[in-house]
Amino acid sequence: MSGALGGAVRAVRRLAGTGVLAAEASRRLRRESSPEGEPSQSRAAALHQICREVLALHGLRVEVEGSPPAGPALLASNHVSWLDPLVVASLLPCVPISKLDVSDWPVVGSLARGLGVIFVRRGDPRSGAAVLRGAAAALSHGLPVLNFPEGTTTPGRVVLPFRRGIFGLARRAGVPVVPVTVRCDRADLAWVGEETFLPHYLRLAASPGCRILVTFGRAIAPSAHSSADALARAARDQIADRLGEPHVAAAGA
């Protein structure tokens, strides 16, 4: 079987398998007792399980350094691809924050909403305030919240300044901030520029797979820093150190 034909067969099998997993997750959600949109341990556990299954189906091998937090925490991660929330959520039950566009993706969007993902419209203050309320509710239920404070994806070689808003919540809630570094051994899995989701997904689905390394850094006590800006810089600097990238002076808005 030629490489191109083998890739096409893999892509079809994985696309079909993803549909099966989505259908099973939907059945699980119908048994969920708490209202849709309300954070719950069972929703986070269901998201954790389906992420593990999706990654295994697509040949994505996740290696871990450090220890995921137990209990409520802010997970502040660099952002390389649409895969990042799946990768981190496969390692522990958590509540990811994702851009609003994802909620419109076929199958994925409705499933993500049901599984408790919090969606944000970038640049919309009302959406930002709603996200902070949702994140605060998740923390109060004992769940870690996964955020990508760069606000966009990068090729993974540098870390953009972190937006400060979610770090103010960490200070108010008194929860630790855990920097998370995501790295992939395939540069073409970075999702940047104007590329749309479907071509990127099909390239991944056709490939044999790859290795992804996730590092959970040292937890940062919010009381150790005098402001949300300082807390954001401390989290970003840990990730920059892990990537071997110089520090920047200030956090983003």
Side-chain angles (χ1 to χ4, degrees):
M1 186 181 295
S2 70
L5 180 58
V9 170
R10 273 194 298 270
V12 169
R13 287 176 176 170
R14 286 168 172 169
L15 189 58
T18 300
V20 171
L21 292 176
E24 173 58 28
S26 295
R27 285 193 291 272
R28 294 179 203 168
L29 286 174
R30 285 196 288 271
R31 300 192 292 269
E32 171 65 45
S33 59
S34 60
E36 183 173 352
E38 181 177 310
S40 71
Q41 293 283 349
S42 58
R43 276 202 177 93
L47 177 63
H48 170 60
Q49 183 60 32
I50 194 172
C51 287
R52 287 172 59 89
E53 293 168 355
V54 167
L55 295 185
L57 175 65
H58 289 80
L60 301 174
R61 305 176 302 280
V62 182
E63 299 179 7
V64 182
E65 294 180 346
S67 300
L74 171 63
L75 305 173
S77 177
N78 66 316
H79 202 7
V80 179
S81 168
W82 59 269
L83 284 167
D84 300 339
L86 281 71
V87 169
V88 179
S90 76
L91 300 175
L92 77 167
C94 63
V95 176
I97 297 173
S98 178
K99 65 178 184 177
L100 185 63
D101 299 9
V102 175
S103 67
D104 293 328
W105 291 358
V107 182
V108 174
S110 59
L111 187 59
R113 286 193 299 272
L115 290 169
V117 175
I118 300 172
F119 292 107
V120 59
R121 187 191 302 274
R122 301 293 185 191
D124 183 337
R126 287 181 297 180
S127 175
V131 165
L132 291 177
R133 290 194 297 271
L139 293 171
S140 71
H141 281 73
L143 292 165
V145 171
L146 170 60
N147 189 39
F148 299 92
E150 290 170 287
T152 188
T153 54
T154 74
R157 295 182 295 272
V158 298
V159 190
L160 300 177
F162 277 3
R163 298 167 185 262
R164 66 178 68 88
I166 197 72
F167 295 93
L169 173 62
R171 284 173 53 81
R172 291 192 296 275
V175 298
V177 173
V178 178
V180 181
T181 308
V182 179
R183 289 171 287 173
C184 181
D185 62 6
R186 280 182 47 195
D188 65 328
L189 285 189
W191 191 34
V192 295
E194 299 302 317
E195 185 176 23
T196 56
F197 170 71
L198 186 58
H200 192 281
Y201 170 76
L202 291 175
R203 186 167 66 245
L204 166 71
S207 72
C210 72
R211 181 179 69 99
I212 300 172
L213 177 62
V214 177
T215 302
F216 291 94
R218 300 182 307 277
I220 306 170
S223 59
H225 296 276
S226 60
S227 67
D229 279 338
L231 188 56
R233 285 195 298 271
R236 185 212 171 272
D237 287 349
Q238 273 202 43
I239 297 172
D241 286 343
R242 178 63 59 177
L243 294 176
E245 191 252 320
H247 297 178
V248 293

